[in-house]
Amino acid sequence: MKRRIYDIVSLILLGITLFFLALTVVFSTGTSVNFRGFAVTGVLILAGILMAASLVFARPSGNLPKRIGFYLTHGGIVLMLAGFALFELAGDSVTAAVPVGGETYYSNIQRENGEICDLGFHFRVDSRQIEYYEDGSEAQYYAGLAFADPVTLKVDGEWISVNHPVRRNGWKIYLMSFVYAADGGGEHVNFIFRRDPGEYVVRAGVIVLAAGTVLELLVGNAVRPKKEGEDHE
């Protein structure tokens, strides 16, 4: 009876944790919905504590791979929650439409609420390219970025494309699309600048969760339990 209660409690805690994890994935990835704040961070931390507590009260049974896998899957989820909580606490995401060409370097981005975000580096868009399929449809967007060191003014260039972001000064720069300014200001490139201090914590959590799943479901079920009296044969 106790074993069944432990299993039910563990499943409930797992469901709650995954629910809040899904909410974080949906609402804290730079969308127009501002879901970041201390309330969400508190919920994530609480969910992580509950999941950690389930490691103590669930009391996994079975062979050694199953028990190790149980702890790894729970630990992986806790790591993922911790990574998302780090983004909630110290992460940032801002969008900008930057004109193509010109000599002006940009380092400050104005948010939708009027606040100014200092990126900590200077950049401009020197050029853009579009790659086409054989049927003439657009296949990929490219933009040539130039970065200038704020102290030495040394310039270096780097190409960016859709789904292939560029990292700079703790920011991850994503190219989204090309647009023409409504006021006739020429062509612009839409970017998302994302700073996520919990990115590698989440990646570690995914790896640990995958390893635990393999141990618990595949290796654990493949290990043949010993039959009574088998050691005496």
Side-chain angles (χ1 to χ4, degrees), residues 105-107 119-126 143-150 152-160 165-169 171-173 191 193:
Y105 282 89
Y106 300 89
S107 61
L119 298 175
F121 61 89
H122 302 277
F123 80 101
R124 71 186 184 196
V125 181
D126 282 342
L145 303 182
F147 297 93
D149 188 281
T152 65
L153 299 182
K154 181 180 178 181
V155 178
D156 66 291
E158 195 164 356
W159 283 95
I160 184 174
V166 169
R167 294 181 183 270
R168 185 68 53 153
N169 196 37
W171 292 88
K172 213 170 180 180
I173 309 172
F191 293 105
F193 298 85

Side-chain angles (χ1 to χ4, degrees), residues 8-198:
I8 292 174
V9 171
S10 180
L11 287 174
I12 292 174
L13 293 177
L14 178 60
I16 293 173
T17 305
L18 293 177
F19 172 74
F20 286 116
L21 178 60
L23 286 181
T24 309
V25 172
V26 172
F27 291 106
S28 67
T29 54
T31 64
S32 58
V33 180
N34 184 12
F35 202 70
R36 293 207 310 273
F38 290 105
V40 177
T41 303
V43 168
L44 288 172
I45 294 174
L46 176 61
I49 293 173
L50 291 175
M51 179 54 64
S54 74
L55 291 171
V56 178
F57 296 108
R59 297 181 183 179
S61 61
N63 53 42
L64 183 60
K66 280 183 173 293
R67 294 197 296 271
I68 295 176
F70 174 86
Y71 287 111
L72 286 179
T73 52
H74 281 65
I77 294 172
V78 171
L79 280 175
M80 292 171 68
L81 284 170
F84 285 114
L86 277 175
F87 176 78
E88 297 294 323
L89 283 169
D92 200 357
S93 182
V94 60
T95 60
V98 182
V100 179
E103 299 298 325
T104 303
Y105 282 89
Y106 300 89
S107 61
N108 297 321
I109 302 297
Q110 185 174 12
R111 304 180 189 273
E112 293 182 357
N113 61 6
E115 295 180 354
I116 300 298
C117 174
D118 183 7
L119 298 175
F121 61 89
H122 302 277
F123 80 101
R124 71 186 184 196
V125 181
D126 282 342
S127 60
R128 64 86 171 167
Q129 292 182 9
I130 299 179
E131 184 179 286
Y132 296 91
Y133 291 113
E134 293 183 357
D135 61 2
S137 59
E138 298 174 348
Q140 181 61 285
Y141 298 137
Y142 298 89
L145 303 182
F147 297 93
D149 188 281
V151 178
T152 65
L153 299 182
K154 181 180 178 181
V155 178
D156 66 291
E158 195 164 356
W159 283 95
I160 184 174
S161 60
V162 176
N163 296 325
H164 294 85
V166 169
R167 294 181 183 270
R168 185 68 53 153
N169 196 37
W171 292 88
K172 213 170 180 180
I173 309 172
Y174 295 86
L175 189 158
M176 304 304 294
S177 62
F178 298 150
V179 295
Y180 283 93
D183 58 0
E187 191 171 26
H188 288 60
V189 181
N190 282 330
F191 293 105
I192 290 180
F193 298 85
R194 180 178 172 85
R195 184 176 59 206
D196 186 0

